[in-house]
Amino acid sequence: MEPTLFIDLDTIAGNARTAAQWFRAHKVEVYGVTKACLGAPQVAMAMLDGGCRGIADSRWQNLRRLRQAGITARLMLIRSPGLSQVDAAVRWADVSLNTELNVVEALSRAAVAQGKVHGVILMVEAGDLREGKDPAAVASLAKACSRLPGIRILGVGSNVGCYAASGPSPETLAALERAVAAVRSILRSPLEVVSGGNSGLLFRSSSTSPTITQARVGEAILLGADPVENEPLERLSQNAFTLVAEVIEVGPKLLLADGSQVNQALLPLGTQDLGAGSLTSCNRDLRILGMTSDHLVVDVGGTESSQNGVAVGDRFQFWPNYQALVSLMTSPFIDKVYGSPSD
C-alpha cells in the first residue's frame, strides 16, 4: 500500500461540537478552519455538522473547492488577498481579513464589477507580530473603507499564537478592545463581528471577553491540540488523522559515531511528505531517528538477533502534528481515505 492518511470525520465533527458548545456558552460563534486539509469539503461538512457557523481558509483556491462541492455556508478568506487575487477573493469568499487600504479599494472595484457586497474584517496587531495594524491605524483604515462601494465593514479581528507563539492575554484583549472602540467611534454603530482569535482561545475563560463574537478554530478541531502550549486538549480527541505506512526494509545498523547497533526500519515517506512536521507512534514503542526526502528511519528496538518482531510489509501507524498534517494533505504521494484504519 501507499502511505495513507486516514481521516475520521466523526471525530472531527465531535471535536467541532465540543468546541462550538464551549464557545457558544461565551456567546462566541465558531468558524472552522480547513487550511490544514487543503479545503477538503468532507472535513468542512464535518465541522458544520458539529456546529461551526461558517468555514475559513487562507487560500481562495480552497474556498473555490468548497463552494464548487456544494458548501453553502458563509466562507471567509483568512489571509489578505494580494492585489492580483481580489477578483477571486470576491468571487469565492463572502468575507476577507484585511489590513491595507489599496487592497480593500481593489476589493471594492472587484465587488462592484461582480455586483456583490464583500464583507471586510480589519485586523489589529495584538502581539502575534503577523498580520494587523495598531488600533489607531485600524480606525483610520475603517474611516477610509467606509466610503467604498461594494464593501461592508463587518468589524475587526486579531490573531494569537501563530507566528510569535504568544497566547491570548490581558494585553492582547486590551489591544483588540481599543480597536473595537476606535472603529465603533468612526462608524458610529456597533460592530457585527469581533473575530478574536483562533484555537488558542478554547477552554481559556480568562482570555475571552464580552467584546469577542467570533473565533476561527482549526487545530483544536482537527487534532485536539492547543497551538499555544503545543499540548493535547483533554476534552477533545487527538486521533482524527492516522498515518499508516509499511516497512520496506528492516535490520541492524552499526552507528559509526559510537559503535553501537540499532535495529531500524525504513518507511516510504520523508520530508517531501512531512515538511517540518513530526509524527507520534500510535501503538508501538518506536523512535523516529530521522528522515531524508523520501525515507523515514525508525528505531524498532529488539536485540542483535531479533528486530522486535518487525518484518518487511508490517504497517506502522502514526498521529501527525499540525505541520505534518498540512504537508501530508498537500502531498500527492499520500493517499487519503475517509474512515479509520480499522474500517
Side-chain angles (χ1 to χ4, degrees):
M1 65 174 287
E2 297 297 325
T4 301
L5 186 65
F6 288 86
I7 305 165
D8 190 328
L9 297 175
D10 289 339
T11 297
I12 294 171
N15 280 351
R17 189 170 297 111
T18 300
Q21 288 173 348
W22 187 88
F23 277 112
R24 193 176 301 120
H26 293 81
K27 299 181 179 180
V28 175
E29 67 177 12
V30 175
Y31 269 58
V33 179
T34 58
K35 64 181 181 179
C37 296
L38 213 60
Q42 299 93 326
V43 171
M45 283 303 304
M47 290 176 165
L48 293 169
D49 289 344
C52 292
R53 293 292 301 275
I55 298 297
D57 205 290
S58 59
R59 300 176 189 272
W60 67 262
Q61 295 91 336
N62 289 344
L63 298 181
R64 177 181 61 186
R65 181 184 182 191
L66 293 171
R67 195 64 89 200
Q68 291 179 338
I71 301 293
T72 58
R74 206 174 201 190
L75 299 182
M76 180 190 302
L77 183 63
I78 55 174
R79 183 175 67 183
S80 176
L83 288 172
S84 62
Q85 299 172 326
V86 294
D87 289 332
V90 169
R91 183 172 303 279
W92 302 111
D94 301 297
V95 184
S96 61
L97 309 185
N98 287 276
T99 60
E100 298 291 346
L101 177 58
N102 60 344
V103 174
V104 182
E105 289 173 336
L107 287 168
S108 169
R109 292 189 292 271
V112 170
Q114 295 181 33
K116 293 184 176 182
V117 175
H118 185 73
V120 167
I121 295 175
L122 304 176
M123 297 298 285
V124 59
E125 168 56 49
D128 190 59
L129 305 181
R130 200 176 68 177
E131 75 269 47
K133 305 287 189 179
D134 65 70
V138 171
S140 177
L141 180 61
K143 184 176 182 179
C145 292
S146 66
R147 299 189 290 264
L148 296 174
I151 293 296
R152 181 181 177 190
I153 301 175
L154 298 178
V156 301
S158 64
N159 196 49
V160 291
C162 279
Y163 177 64
S166 59
S169 67
E171 290 75 22
T172 64
L173 287 176
L176 180 60
E177 289 170 354
R178 287 196 301 272
V180 169
V183 172
R184 279 177 176 169
S185 176
I186 291 292
L187 300 181
R188 299 182 180 178
S189 65
L191 302 184
E192 181 179 332
V193 174
V194 178
S195 191
N198 52 25
S199 294
L201 295 175
L202 186 58
F203 305 141
R204 286 185 168 89
S205 297
S206 61
S207 299
T208 60
S209 162
T211 303
I212 296 174
T213 66
Q214 183 191 90
R216 312 174 304 275
V217 182
E219 187 168 356
I221 292 174
L222 297 173
L223 297 177
D226 178 355
V228 176
E229 301 294 339
N230 291 316
E231 294 289 342
L233 294 165
E234 292 183 1
R235 304 186 215 180
L236 301 177
S237 174
Q238 286 76 47
N239 61 357
F241 296 85
T242 305
L243 175 67
V244 179
E246 70 175 308
V247 175
I248 59 173
E249 179 187 311
V250 62
K253 295 283 184 177
L254 185 66
L255 301 181
L256 298 179
D258 58 10
S260 62
Q261 181 176 287
V262 59
N263 286 317
Q264 73 175 36
L266 295 183
L267 306 178
L269 69 159
T271 55
Q272 190 168 5
D273 312 291
L274 295 167
S278 63
L279 302 172
T280 300
S281 175
C282 296
N283 51 13
R284 282 180 177 268
D285 185 19
L286 302 176
R287 182 167 61 97
I288 296 175
L289 298 173
M291 69 180 89
T292 63
S293 62
D294 52 7
H295 286 86
L296 186 69
V297 185
V298 179
D299 179 359
V300 299
T303 65
E304 290 187 19
S305 59
S306 169
Q307 284 84 52
N308 207 16
V310 176
V312 169
D314 285 353
R315 296 174 180 178
F316 293 165
Q317 297 185 12
F318 304 91
W319 291 311
N321 72 348
Y322 190 82
Q323 290 76 17
L325 176 61
V326 171
S327 296
L328 289 167
M329 288 295 297
T330 305
S331 173
F333 306 110
I334 304 296
D335 288 344
K336 286 82 177 176
V337 173
Y338 289 92
S340 64
S342 58
D343 290 349

